Amino acid sequence: MNTILVGAQWGDEGKGKIIDVLTEQADIVVRTQGGNNAGHTVYIGPKKYVLHLIPSGILRPGKVCVVGNGVVIDPVSLVGELDGLEKLGVGVTPENLQISETAHVVFPWHRELDAQREVRKGHGRIGTTKRGIGPTYGDKAARVGLRVIDLINEARFTERLRERWKENNDVLQALGAPAVDYDALHREYTAAAARLRPFVTNTVVYLHHSTQRGLNILFEGAQGTFLDIDHGTYPYVTSSNTTAGGACTGSGVPPNRMDRVVGVMKAYTTRVGEGPLPTEDAGISDLLHALGREFGATTGRPRRCGWFDAVVTRHAAMVNGIDELAITNTDGLDTVPVIKVCVGYKVGDQVLRHIPSDIEVFARCVPVYEEFPGWQSPTDGARRWEDLPVNCRHYLLSIAQMTGARLTIASVGPAREQTMLL
Ligand code: GDP
Ligand code: IMO
Ligand code: MG
């Protein structure tokens, strides 16, 4: 069984936690897009792990993790992540981690350009993670990027790096940004390359053989549907295909080998960074932040919070082909007396039942709400579906039905055991 897992909102839906749960039934876990802009949190007992580039499956012994061709890799940051995992007692070897030789490499000028563009945009900024993701995918599309296979070939890397360094320093200079020192860069990247070389392989062929052997593959989505470069709230998006199709292009596993798509969504909505969020609500933001929740796992920024938006998740079900839903953070609504769900948008005197393509129209959308009675009791102790209050079960089933997919997982806390499989 090959499963694609995607975020059905704006990222941070709790994918890391659900991946960890689903990894139990998988042999291989694959990241297929994005880079270290992602932050996936997994709790195992008292220990907290935040994964950025390495698939969350790495925390389960005996599973193979793959960083696919569609991912962009900051080699220095990846080495830091490997070291961090070692410190936490997680063994990472070429036996349990494989890195695609055709993934593109992030350089310091990508990060600097990312930052420069944000400053120049001023109020229109995207609110990126400043990890250089956009400029790296830009170079990939412009066919001037360097790939992992170039990085690990020392002679070729030295030659191509100088060429890329020169061009990018000219651009940085024109923007008035600090130049990158060639020698320091070369030293740092060749050291990272030496460390990563044993992990680098042809992951496309490996995954092909694995599907032929009938192994179970889990495709770990990063970001969320509305950060997708094609289907998201452009330009307030990331630079990769975060939707289900990205799992195929980003791994080389074809669509007819995929068996199901699982969508992960929160029982409410969050977004980090700029861009429209029709159901944003100061009350629910304050409530969650006061509980110490909803701060970004990568940048630490407070996430913007709002009511559940069923127009958004229905769109996500459409473009991803979501079969099954995992709803997380149910417990975040435990104290709310009346819970609102957006079922349409008012624009002028029109009511829309879908997301408008025009971002300026989307920014003007006023939610049309349906109200649900809250359950006003703690759910974090629930272990079986029957343990949940009636109002809570009704709410979860209703938002799943509005989204248009089957509810199969309900989560009431960050821990593994706070997960109900329906
Ligand atoms: P991801 O990027 O989709 O993997 O999500 P993040 O890890 O960035 O953010 C989700 C946050 O919610 C993390 O801190 C998780 O530990 C936490 N989380 C996931 N599911 C639940 C849940 O059901 N209840 C609570 N309280 N926290 C959850
Ligand atoms: P996970 O995998 C939430 C957001 C940024 C910004 C926009 C573009 O943890 O769900 P980028 O640095 O990618 O160019 O930023 O996308 N963003 C995320 N928001 N979760 C993420 O990943 C995100 N990765 C990027 O905040 O709005
Ligand atoms: Mg996250």
Side-chain angles (χ1 to χ4, degrees):
M1 165 89 93
N2 293 337
T3 302
I4 300 175
L5 181 138
V6 293
Q9 294 158 325
W10 276 276
D12 302 326
E13 295 90 349
K15 298 178 295 294
K17 176 191 158 155
I18 303 299
I19 287 280
D20 173 62
V21 170
L22 294 181
T23 298
E24 208 172 1
Q25 304 142 24
D27 301 297
I28 303 170
V29 184
V30 191
R31 266 287 298 271
T32 59
Q33 43 72 225
N36 61 348
N37 50 347
H40 298 171
T41 315
V42 181
Y43 283 89
I44 302 175
K47 275 196 188 167
K48 176 184 176 176
Y49 303 83
V50 181
L51 285 311
H52 296 288
L53 200 63
I54 298 174
S56 311
I58 202 76
L59 303 175
R60 297 236 186 210
K63 311 293 177 178
V64 177
C65 287
V66 173
V67 177
N69 57 275
V71 172
V72 292
I73 298 178
D74 183 326
V76 177
S77 154
L78 178 54
V79 167
E81 194 171 339
L82 288 174
D83 291 342
L85 283 171
E86 298 275 341
K87 271 200 201 111
L88 287 166
V90 180
V92 189
T93 67
E95 298 291 299
N96 66 346
L97 178 69
Q98 303 197 9
I99 300 171
S100 167
E101 48 197 16
T102 56
H104 277 250
V105 177
V106 181
F107 287 96
W109 47 78
H110 292 130
R111 285 195 303 273
E112 187 58 42
L113 287 171
D114 192 350
Q116 289 288 332
R117 283 180 188 151
E118 286 284 275
V119 171
R120 274 152 197 273
K121 281 195 181 118
H123 283 309
R125 70 183 182 279
I126 298 165
T128 74
T129 60
K130 298 202 178 73
R131 298 296 190 270
I133 305 299
T136 306
Y137 278 113
D139 274 0
K140 175 180 178 177
R143 296 149 298 170
V144 294
L146 294 193
R147 306 193 292 180
V148 170
I149 197 152
D150 305 313
L151 175 71
I152 60 167
N153 176 332
E154 209 169 329
R156 193 200 297 177
F157 182 65
T158 302
E159 184 191 316
R160 303 235 19 227
L161 182 71
R162 191 165 282 280
E163 181 195 306
R164 299 308 309 140
W165 168 78
K166 184 153 186 350
E167 181 185 309
N168 282 286
N169 259 0
D170 289 348
V171 175
L172 292 178
Q173 196 183 16
L175 294 174
V180 175
D181 178 72
Y182 178 82
D183 290 328
L185 170 71
H186 185 263
R187 218 176 310 120
E188 203 180 20
Y189 272 58
T190 31
R195 181 78 195 284
L196 298 177
R197 195 172 286 116
F199 299 94
V200 177
T201 184
N202 187 331
T203 53
V204 173
V205 170
Y206 169 71
L207 291 173
H208 175 72
H209 288 151
S210 302
T211 54
Q212 279 187 324
R213 286 172 57 205
L215 296 181
N216 298 313
I217 308 178
L218 178 56
F219 296 85
E220 168 169 347
Q223 289 84 50
T225 299
F226 298 94
L227 293 172
D228 183 284
I229 183 81
D230 285 283
H231 299 288
T233 47
Y234 191 91
Y236 301 98
V237 294
T238 190
S239 301
S240 64
N241 282 116
T242 61
T243 45
C248 296
T249 52
S251 67
V253 177
N256 59 357
R257 289 284 171 274
M258 301 299 185
D259 300 298
R260 68 168 172 171
V261 179
V262 175
V264 184
M265 58 191 203
K266 278 179 176 148
Y268 47 90
T269 307
T270 66
R271 171 168 207 169
V272 59
E274 306 304 317
L277 184 61
T279 62
E280 188 165 13
D281 182 89
I284 182 161
S285 274
D286 292 348
L287 172 96
L288 293 163
H289 291 150
L291 295 169
R293 295 167 60 153
E294 302 307 348
F295 291 91
T298 296
T299 58
R301 291 177 289 177
R303 296 174 182 148
R304 300 155 63 194
C305 306
W307 301 111
F308 185 84
D309 189 334
V311 183
V312 154
T313 57
R314 197 161 55 237
H315 192 95
M318 175 173 78
V319 296
N320 291 294
I322 295 173
D323 301 299
E324 298 179 22
L325 284 170
I327 302 180
T328 69
N329 287 276
T330 308
D331 52 310
L333 298 175
D334 283 352
T335 58
V336 181
V338 178
I339 302 170
K340 295 186 192 179
V341 171
C342 173
V343 295
Y345 302 129
K346 242 182 133 168
V347 192
D349 28 295
Q350 249 192 317
V351 174
L352 298 181
R353 298 287 170 188
H354 64 269
I355 297 182
S357 304
D358 187 331
I359 191 79
E360 286 172 25
V361 177
F362 191 48
R364 289 202 308 273
C365 280
V366 176
V368 177
Y369 286 118
E370 200 171 290
E371 292 188 345
F372 287 78
W375 44 94
Q376 295 191 274
S377 60
T379 55
D380 58 346
R383 296 294 175 267
R384 295 167 312 147
W385 177 248
E386 301 76 49
D387 296 339
L388 290 173
V390 173
N391 284 357
C392 180
R393 279 183 268 161
H394 174 65
Y395 176 73
L396 295 178
L397 288 174
S398 302
I399 61 175
Q401 192 193 21
M402 289 176 188
T403 301
R406 204 153 53 86
L407 177 64
T408 55
I409 301 178
S411 168
V412 292
R416 274 178 181 168
E417 61 274 16
Q418 290 171 306
T419 317
M420 285 158 266
L421 305 178
L422 274 63

